[in-house]
Structure formats: structure tokens, C-alpha cells
Amino acid sequence: MNDRLYIFDTTLRDGEQSPGASMTKDEKLRIARQLEKLGVDVIEAGFAAASPGDADAIKAIAEAITNSTVCSLARANERDIRAAGEAIKPARYGRIHTFIATSPIHMEKKLRMTPDQVVEAAVKAVKLAREYTEDVEFSAEDAVRSDMDFLVRVFDAVIEAGAKTINVPDTVGYSIPALWGERMKTLIARVKGADKVVWSTHCHNDLGMAVANSLAAVMNGARQVECTINGLGERAGNASLEEIVMAVRTRKDVFNCDSKIDATQIVPASKLVSTITGYPVQPNKAIVGANAFAHESGIHQDGVLKHRETYEIMRAEDVGWHANRLTLGKLSGRAAFKSKLGELGIVLETEEALNTAFARFKDLADKKREIFDEDLQALVSDEGYAAEHERFKLVSMKVCSETGETPQASLVFTDDGVERRADGFGSGPVDAAFKALESVVSSGADLLLYSVNNITSGTDSQGEVTVRLAKDGRVVNGQGADTDIVVASAKAYLHALNKLDAKLERAHPQV
Ligand code: KIV
Ligand code: ZN
């Protein structure tokens, strides 16, 4: 037996519930395109009823994506289901994912509903969702703390009402693998019509066991795993997609199933999500951490050189590391540039956008000898950020940094096309640049996060900077990339200001 394991990615919904990770519509679209390339079966694109911005982003993703199912979350009520149904309408394959809590604590204290009312609402929701699509998923929120007999009753009823996927969430990350596997096995054995639906698991990582619990569910019959890129998600996050996919693939002998994920797209997906959300990937993170395939000890290095499999259970290139082949050089033309972007799945909507990106590529090729796929991704992302809304734009800057002297920055930028100049001092060149900008713009925003990542290796690598600003309860991430990290920082700061100005970030889905 070698079953299909469905991968349901919820980076754009549960992942977006991470503090500060809310994304603009364009950012969500960029990630959705990469998820489609990665081959995920279902993209949970958002929670349509949360805000018009959320619904709009889901609609845009439903229009753009053709190979993955596009899904919206909906609570078990009419308003949510209708909003979800409308948002997924343009999708080639669309799903509504409706949920209601089933644990005593949630029913009593949060919903203030009796168990009978919960069953009734769940059935009604599934029936209404079926008016929009045949592909309806039902989740019993907080299934981990729900009574088993009650779960069986709810699942019997929603299957009868037309649900095609039954999701069992460990909403609070409370389970342990043996118990979670047992719970899945019991449900599949006891629920009527269990063989007519796909059983799914959705685990949170509060005790660091989201992946282990999900895999235990798979070993006991679950055939859909809900997960996110880099394990992003509410609180400690969700099960990480890359770990689930590679565990199942590497240990086919144990799992008897596999996904259709193109694993070579895992590292690019991880980098894209990290860049857009500003959540860095820890170096020792399995699969996608910078050290995941680095052998440090002499004994290990010796072993790997003699026979790779002495210490390696997976190949770095199979998950997308080192796939960053040298792509283009200084002498490459516009046609080669365009075709390379096509290979990378990057779509530039207009000729003007292509021309601007090409000019920036030439600029970069002057500064950096070797240009890799990741450089092109960053360059085009930078272009994308600019295209969204660009009140402020960096023209030029100069920084002075000398031992024993206070660093100083002078910048020229445009504000709605009008050139302005900013000067400032700081504890370092980046601090000086931000203080200079703030002295002119006076946004009053709080800086919540500043992070720099190198896009490729080497000191000539582009630095990619994320700046997270908060103002009046809104949190935005700004990004900038350049071979000069102080320039990248100034671009990121201005990008964040542009987002605050344009109100590009949607309200947090749970607000
Ligand atoms: O954690 C959870 O229970 C959820 C549900 C909406 C599936 O995210
Ligand atoms: Zn969740």
C-alpha cells in the first residue's frame, strides 16, 4: 500500500495569525504562487469573514491558482459561510473549511452553547457550505480536549450532512504522539462513514510536538496534514510542512504514504515566507535551517567525504539547497532575464515592471560578480514592494562611520515625488539612518523588529532587511534588499512607512 498524503498548507491563515506576520494581498499572492509550485494540495488562503481585505485576498488567490485547491476558513454560522463561499467562487477547485469548538471548556465558556446546539450548528454549516462547493471540510476545534463520544456524534452528523474532510485539531498543542495516534485510530474505527472521508490532523506546537503528533496521526490513518511553511502559526506555531513532508518521504518504510510535494521547492518557499513575514529561520531548524546539512565535526566530515550516507539521511539538493545555481551574469540580455524569471515562476504583470526589474538586475550585476536565483527573487520582491504603494522612495544616501566618532547618515528621498533631505546621528549607521528619516517624516511609529539576513553566502551577498513598525494598533513589515545593508535598511524602513501610509496591511485576522 502506498497512499496519497494530502498536504493542506495554512501559512496564509493560521501562519498569518503569528504576531506581526500579517501580509498584504500581493504578499499573499506571491506566497500562494510558490505554494502551488511546491505542489501543496490545499492552500488555506484566509478567513473571508474576518475583513473585506481578507475576502479580497482569498478571491485574488482563487483567481490566480489553478493547480491547488483554494480554501477559506469559516466559523459555523451563515455570515461566515456565505463570505467564504463568495471568496472561493473564482477558484478552479474551491473548499470551505468550517469549524466549531467541541470541548466542554470551549462550548461552555466561549460559545455558551449546549452540546446539542453545537451539533445543530455544525450540521447547518456543512449543509450551507455544500450549496457553494462539494468540497467541504469540518473541524472540531479543541478536539484534543473534547469528549470522545461527543466527537463521534458530531463527526457522524457532519459526514451525513456532506462533509468530505474531517479535521481533528490539537488547537492548544496539548497532546503527545501516542495519545494523538490513538485518538485518530479510535475516531476512524467508531465514526459512521469514516471510510468515505479524508481524515485530517492539525496540530499546534505549544509543547514542541506538533510534527510528532501529526505523524502519529498519519500512522493511524490520517491522510491530510495541516501545516505551515517554517512551522509559522498561532503562538508556538503549527506543524512544519517541510518536516512532515520529508519525514514521510525519508521513512516511506514506516508511513506507507507519500505527498506529491516537489521537495526542491521547499527551501525557496521557506525563504520567501521568512522574508515576507520577517520571521527568521533558526540555523539549526530541520530541513530549512542554514546548518541543516552542514557537517562540523571532523569525524562527520570524513565520513561524508568517504560515503555520503554515513551521516546524511537526505540530500540537501533534494529539498532545494544549492539549487541556487549561477543564473545570469553582467552580459545577460533582457530575453534571458525574462526567461529565467519564468523558470522561477515569477510573473511580472507589465512591460514597465519587467524593464525596471531588468535595470535593477544590471545594477546588481555591476556590484556583485555572481547572481543566484535567490538574488533574482529578492530583486523582484523589492520591485513588487515598490509597486504596491510608494509615497516614500530612497534616492541616495551617505553614511559616515568611524571608530570613536558618532555615526552620521544623510539621505535623499522622495515624498510623493518631491525630493527631501534627512540628516541624523545614531549609535550605528542604521540607527543614524532611521533617526534621520524619522526626523523628517515624523511617523511616530514604534520599531518592533529589525533583522538582517544574507540572501546568498559570501560577503558580496545582498542583505535582506525586515523592519517591523507599529502605529495605532497596526503592525507592518517593511523589506529591502541591497548589497549594502545600510541601504537595504533604509529601503526597508521606507517600505514599512509606505505600508503604514497606504494602510496596505489588513487588520489582524483575529481582531
Ligand atoms: O487550531 C485550530 O483548531 C484551528 C482550527 C480553525 C482548525 O486553527
Ligand atoms: Zn490552528
Side-chain angles (χ1 to χ4, degrees):
M1 183 181 88
N2 205 353
D3 280 356
R4 168 82 166 275
L5 179 66
Y6 294 98
I7 299 297
F8 176 114
D9 180 279
T10 182
T11 307
L12 299 177
R13 198 278 297 169
D14 217 322
E16 201 195 22
Q17 289 174 206
S18 315
S22 103
M23 306 165 215
T24 65
K25 179 168 98 178
D26 283 3
E27 289 168 341
K28 283 190 135 194
L29 254 173
R30 279 208 289 275
I31 293 179
R33 287 203 172 99
Q34 178 60 29
L35 293 174
E36 183 182 39
K37 215 167 152 201
L38 179 65
V40 309
D41 297 285
V42 185
I43 298 172
E44 187 163 53
F47 187 176
S51 70
D54 244 79
D56 195 35
I58 298 168
K59 224 178 260 170
I61 292 169
E63 276 160 11
I65 300 298
T66 51
N67 294 324
S68 306
T69 296
V70 177
C71 168
S72 169
L73 185 67
R75 284 166 298 185
N77 65 52
E78 182 177 347
R79 179 181 161 268
D80 275 31
I81 307 259
R82 293 212 185 278
E86 292 304 320
I88 60 153
K89 243 180 202 162
R92 182 173 176 203
Y93 309 111
R95 173 178 295 189
I96 296 176
H97 174 194
T98 186
F99 74 101
I100 191 161
T102 50
S103 63
I105 184 172
H106 275 231
M107 290 190 290
E108 261 172 60
K109 308 282 182 214
K110 183 183 81 171
L111 297 176
R112 301 210 168 93
M113 286 167 82
T114 63
D116 286 351
Q117 287 172 325
V118 166
V119 177
E120 195 188 320
V123 167
K124 238 169 119 180
V126 169
K127 284 190 177 155
L128 180 59
R130 282 294 306 258
E131 289 179 18
Y132 289 89
T133 171
E134 295 214 329
D135 190 351
V136 174
E137 171 170 337
F138 174 79
S139 283
E141 192 189 14
D142 204 21
V144 67
R145 293 184 293 176
S146 301
D147 171 70
M148 180 55 86
D149 290 342
F150 184 59
L151 271 184
V152 170
R153 180 178 161 207
V154 175
F155 289 153
D156 280 350
V158 293
I159 293 174
E160 171 79 25
K164 296 286 182 231
T165 302
I166 298 296
N167 184 39
V168 189
D170 179 1
T171 305
V172 289
Y174 181 65
S175 202
I176 62 168
L179 297 182
W180 199 240
E182 192 54 39
R183 186 153 276 244
M184 184 56 74
K185 192 173 170 179
T186 308
L187 284 168
I188 294 176
R190 287 188 53 192
V191 168
K192 270 193 247 119
D195 56 330
K196 293 186 187 61
V197 296
V198 174
W199 286 88
S200 168
T201 187
H202 174 116
C203 296
H204 280 270
N205 205 31
D206 300 66
L207 293 173
M209 286 186 278
V211 169
N213 287 336
S214 304
L215 294 175
V218 172
M219 290 186 81
N220 285 280
R223 284 296 176 265
Q224 173 177 286
V225 176
E226 303 199 353
C227 45
T228 57
I229 302 291
N230 300 337
L232 205 67
E234 186 83 32
R235 305 182 310 279
N238 288 66
S240 110
L241 178 147
E242 53 280 4
E243 294 177 23
I244 299 282
V245 165
M246 290 317 291
V248 169
R249 190 156 293 174
T250 308
R251 297 306 309 266
K252 276 200 201 84
D253 56 325
V254 177
F255 287 102
N256 288 331
C257 60
D258 199 3
S259 67
K260 69 166 180 59
I261 292 293
D262 173 0
T264 62
Q265 293 300 325
I266 285 179
V267 169
S270 162
K271 290 193 173 186
L272 185 66
V273 169
S274 168
T275 300
I276 285 179
T277 59
Y279 272 68
V281 176
Q282 73 195 53
N284 57 330
K285 165 92 173 61
I287 323 287
V288 293
N291 296 346
F293 293 87
H295 297 280
E296 193 66 20
S297 109
I299 297 171
H300 288 207
Q301 286 173 349
D302 180 54
V304 169
L305 286 174
K306 285 180 176 141
H307 187 85
R308 181 182 191 142
E309 283 160 23
T310 49
Y311 286 99
E312 275 191 9
I313 57 164
M314 296 168 280
R315 297 187 319 166
E317 53 270 40
D318 290 349
V319 297
W321 286 108
H322 316 310
N324 59 347
R325 304 167 316 274
L326 182 62
T327 53
L328 300 168
K330 207 173 156 158
L331 301 175
S332 306
R334 199 172 167 282
F337 177 71
K338 189 175 173 185
S339 119
K340 186 69 209 176
L341 292 186
E343 254 177 60
L344 293 174
I346 297 169
V347 185
L348 291 180
E349 307 290 350
T350 61
E351 271 305 289
E352 195 192 338
L354 179 68
N355 290 341
T356 321
F358 184 60
R360 295 190 50 164
F361 155 71
K362 284 288 187 185
D363 221 29
L364 181 63
D366 271 340
K367 292 188 208 152
K368 192 171 183 290
R369 204 167 39 88
E370 300 172 318
I371 300 206
F372 297 96
D373 291 355
E374 286 91 336
D375 288 314
L376 291 184
Q377 295 270 18
L379 183 143
V380 173
S381 288
D382 225 26
E383 219 32 66
Y385 305 142
E388 283 174 9
H389 172 86
E390 208 178 23
R391 173 175 161 192
F392 302 111
K393 186 174 181 190
L394 183 70
V395 176
S396 64
M397 69 183 289
K398 181 177 159 194
V399 285
C400 297
S401 184
E402 192 181 335
T403 320
E405 298 294 328
T406 307
Q408 185 183 0
S410 304
L411 300 97
V412 178
F413 65 101
T414 50
D415 177 352
D416 270 337
V418 179
E419 218 161 83
R420 302 181 78 177
R421 196 189 149 90
D423 298 282
F425 293 92
S427 59
V430 172
D431 190 45
F434 288 5
K435 287 201 167 116
L437 287 171
E438 202 47 41
S439 72
V440 176
V441 174
S442 305
S443 76
D446 291 324
L447 179 69
L448 299 188
L449 173 126
Y450 169 76
S451 83
V452 189
N453 284 301
N454 50 329
I455 291 175
T456 53
S457 53
T459 49
D460 70 345
S461 162
Q462 289 193 87
E464 191 157 45
V465 173
T466 301
V467 166
R468 186 173 297 154
L469 296 181
K471 191 177 177 201
D472 301 334
R474 290 177 59 236
V475 178
V476 298
N477 287 318
Q479 286 94 3
D482 202 280
T483 48
D484 180 329
I485 57 164
V486 187
V487 174
S489 304
K491 283 185 186 173
Y493 197 86
L494 290 172
H495 178 226
L497 290 180
N498 281 330
K499 278 182 160 180
L500 279 178
D501 186 59
K503 306 212 168 6
L504 276 175
E505 221 86 354
R506 297 163 4 274
H508 191 289
Q510 290 215 327
V511 171

